[in-house]
Amino acid sequence: MTTGLIPGGHPPDPRPTGGLPSQSRREPAGRQALPMDDRSRSSVITARATASFEPLGRSVASARSFVRDTLQGWGFADIVDDAVVLTSELVTNAVVHAGTAADVLCLRSEDGVRVEVADRYPEREIPLQGSAGAMGNLDREGGRGLQLCAALAGRWGVDYTPTHKQVWFQLDLPERAVGTRAAGPCLPTDLLPLADGRVRVAVIQIDRSGSVSAWNEDAEDLFGYPSEQVTGKPLTDFAAWPHTPGTSTGIAEALQLSRWEGSYGIRDAAGRVVPVYASHLRVRDTDGDPSTVCLLVRDDERAVLQTPVRVSAPDTAKSAEGQSSDPFEVFIGSPAPDDLDGLLQRTVERARDMLDADSAFLLLATDDETELEVRASTGLPSARQRFARVPVEAGPGRYGSARMPAVHDDLSSVPGAVPLLNGTGMRSVVTVPLKVEGRLTGSLGVAAEAPGRYSNEEALRLQFAADRIALAVESARLGELERLRRGSLSFLVEASDLLAGTLDRDQTLALMAQMTVPTLATWCAVYTLADQASEPYLSYVLHEDEELIDGIKSLLSKIPPPDPVPTPGAHVWTAPAEAAHQAALRTSMRSLGLSEPASISAGINTTLATASAVGGETVVLPLVARNRVIGMLTLGKPTDEHFRQEILELGEDLSRRAALALDNARLYSERTAISQSLQRSLLPPGLPQIAGVEVDVIYRAAGEGNEVGGDFYDVFPIGENTYGFAIGDVCGTGPNAAAVTGLARHALRLLAREGLSGPAVLQRLNSAILDEGARSRFLTLLYGELRPREDGSAELKVVCAGHPLPLRLRQNGTVEPAAEPQPLLGVLEDLELYEQTITLDPGDVLLCVTDGVTERREGTRMLGDDGLTEVLTTCTGLTAGAVAARVMRAVERFASDAPSDDMAILTLRVPGLPT
């Protein structure tokens, strides 16, 4: 066995790997777990999962799902996205490029996860020994998956055996701060945190499935739900959790952690979001069943639950003034939060306390420094302000620019100077910029309800603190953007895979909405356009709470749809929020017995819950495919919530993929409808009712989506008590053969009704086929004329032109050919054909089939004429329909593969005389 390592990885350790013989590494992952070596697996393996995937394109998606489910089940949500992206690349190399099966093995250890992907093609070249520059060459086909390993994995490498090649990577778990106990000093009464006269602490217990199992009285008072209304329902039905792909922690992950503490929101019975501060503790009962106990208080009473900041122990690093040598730790405290949201929240709380303010806020700048996005606040309605965006004023004025410190003595005299504080009651405010290497990265502000609270001295103090934390905030922000990018990449890979897997329009619309909610938005609506002149049509609506879907659909159907703007990017659509606000105001005024103002438009009635669900920011993303707007994807948030810019950019990427998938589904549906309509025109409209004769037909065209192929049949009236019947086979299958099928069937009807004999009909049809020139195809045909007799029998005159001979089943069970073979059509110009007369006695059956029946194969075996005869001998006494059905079942059971040729079965039976 040889091992290759990419530059930058750890060198191979020459020591034995766990004392096991080297040949143990040659066992496939599905049969025996491969041992760990010292260079990449130094921890004890605590769990393993393995799966094998066939060399098919869909196996890549299956492998992604396997790795995602495995890691989420192990509680490793932090590294799921990286593992999914790397697994997708490596399995694609195995099943698509190498063309072999892939074995995927996941190993869990105390400090990370190792994933191994093995294929059965070790001879395939891998760019291990080449230079880094050669491997990174964009013109080179191979090596890109290995570049991802080098970029994302902590350690990785390639192992070879004579029969397998294995690429492995290891992802280390991010370090999490361990919770500690802490105590604070005795404080005077006037320095204690403020709280209501009675502090309500909601105690909620969540079972292992994520559903509420206990709900105390304080929870009822805080959120308005009685215990019996919420018990058994998932917490996610009520939690307003800010979720972003690839960043932070979701509610499901937070409930699985041993301990968690932080802020989120709970939707109360009136549909409003109540900001809360929560402390979660994971416990287990005496039977070993886990559950999570959640303690929740109002966000402004967080001091009741919030763990005090641990102060670092004194050391020799302090200066003579007794100050820490690290100014950042002086402001933030030690240890600093390891996530961006926690760092920003700690920053605004410290800034508020430092200047004895009533509120504080922090905004981060976009990459182009044209807008600021609200990311953290305290003392303000954070649910309303989070991710709200305000423009950056570029003027040099001290009070009007976000790029310089600014002090406002009284906001009432300069309304709109700080848009974030409009309607909050704050009067005095000081704001300072956060800058890194001269570039604006954010803005930090504190505010008070009283005017004239701050001066230049406070602005300098706040600016000094902002300078100390700017670099740490920017570093955390870049880390969040990188995690978001990885999560977005994984999201788009899976979205593209799902959208490419269907050509059904309705399913594409459903997938589009399901991928959007709740990952990108709380609710979404998809509008479609039939053509450029038509109005947008509301095609699909989805909300994370299914009970609100009908209400949102009703609300959207009563307001004008958004304009189909072809300009790329997200466009704000205010109509749903305005309609929701008016409906909520109307409902509230009615409940108070007040008359409605004339300014409120009538005709839109909705519940408060629906109004709250669509009352936030709503954006419209155009669905543009092939330079044409085919619809709009509408994303919405609940009351007073906003989208972050990264989510809108991810939504724009998704909309481009979804638009192309939707347009492909439309084109496929249109062409399928045209094809089916044309094909149905080639089939007979129906079978005539013939007195004294039973007629039945079974027809199967080969190929998916084909209704007509090269085989055809027809039964039609010629004259009084005379009927024509035909069964034929055109050379080939598909549309070209179907074209000759249409010519033959219609020509037969026309010529037969002119009173021509059977041979004359077929001779003229032969001339018509030859007249087609290069498009002509030879044709086998059994044509006959049927005349029922008064004695209960039936007379048949048949011509068998190169077709499998018809079989006659007598009442005594004997089977015999009912015609003689003659030349087929479409080959010779001059045909000498003749007709034969057959009499079907009562109880006799005439079976006519195409060669798709007799040439049915299973390996080297073929059903043949003898096999068909044997099946027919068992059909004595059956009706014409039962005979056709039994023959078809025998043909289907003869071979396991799908039929590769068209098949037609025509049966004529003369019923026995009544006794």
Side-chain angles (χ1 to χ4, degrees), residues 410-489:
D410 192 349
L411 288 179
S412 61
S413 61
V414 281
V418 184
L420 180 65
L421 301 179
N422 291 343
T424 62
M426 300 296 160
R427 300 281 296 278
S428 55
V429 62
V430 54
T431 61
V432 297
L434 276 69
K435 293 185 177 181
V436 175
E437 297 180 351
R439 181 174 60 86
L440 179 68
T441 60
S443 177
L444 175 63
V446 296
E449 295 179 354
R453 285 280 301 274
Y454 305 114
S455 64
N456 289 345
E457 181 180 352
E458 282 79 12
L460 291 176
R461 290 178 59 195
L462 190 62
Q463 184 66 70
F464 179 81
D467 292 341
R468 303 285 77 76
I469 67 169
L471 184 59
V473 169
E474 179 66 4
S475 177
R477 185 184 75 89
L478 293 177
E480 180 193 67
L481 289 177
E482 177 64 16
R483 290 191 296 273
L484 177 62
R485 184 193 65 79
R486 295 180 181 181
S488 300
L489 176 61

Side-chain angles (χ1 to χ4, degrees), residues 2-7 125-132 134-135 140 146 158 160:
T2 59
T3 301
L5 290 178
I6 297 301
E125 177 190 359
I126 288 187
L128 298 178
Q129 307 302 330
S131 65
M135 188 178 72
R140 186 182 176 89
L146 303 184
V158 183
Y160 289 98

Side-chain angles (χ1 to χ4, degrees), residues 692-694 792-794 796 807-814 816 838-847 872 875-880 883 907-913:
V693 178
E694 297 175 2
S793 63
L796 284 73
L807 299 179
R808 176 181 180 178
L809 171 65
R810 296 184 180 274
Q811 271 193 318
N812 59 8
T814 60
E816 60 185 6
I838 307 169
T839 300
L840 292 183
D841 297 324
D844 288 355
V845 175
L846 185 70
L847 174 65
L872 187 58
C875 297
T876 304
L878 299 182
T879 64
V883 172
T907 56
L908 304 174
R909 178 178 180 269
V910 178
L913 296 175

